[in-house]
Amino acid sequence: MPIQVEMPKLGLTMEEGTIVEWLKAQGDTVERGESLFVLETDKLTLEAEAPESGTLGQILVQAGTTVPTG
């Protein structure tokens, strides 16, 4: 069953984040806790982790795009 990976909310005031780089490509196998993409906020840059193990099916948001949390 597909799981949608959402932009994590890293603080009370965080409303959006920018995907700087995808570390995995469509079709890659990922393990829970493995880094999926690099995200940037107005205060920090870090790697977001996979919430579950499986295969990355489709990337809907390209690098360089800013999206709301959740």
Side-chain angles (χ1 to χ4, degrees):
M1 182 166 106
I3 296 172
Q4 185 170 340
V5 178
E6 299 178 345
M7 177 64 71
K9 185 166 183 150
L10 303 173
L12 294 174
T13 61
M14 182 180 169
E15 295 182 6
E16 63 183 18
T18 302
I19 296 176
V20 176
E21 171 188 11
W22 281 95
L23 303 174
K24 295 289 184 173
Q26 287 184 178
D28 285 355
T29 300
V30 296
E31 296 296 324
R32 182 180 183 158
E34 189 174 8
S35 296
L36 278 181
F37 59 91
V38 177
L39 73 92
E40 182 178 72
T41 71
D42 59 339
K43 297 180 182 180
L44 59 97
T45 301
L46 62 88
E47 295 179 1
E49 298 178 351
E52 297 292 334
S53 298
T55 302
L56 183 58
Q58 186 177 12
I59 294 176
L60 301 175
V61 180
Q62 298 304 312
T65 306
T66 299
V67 294
T69 58

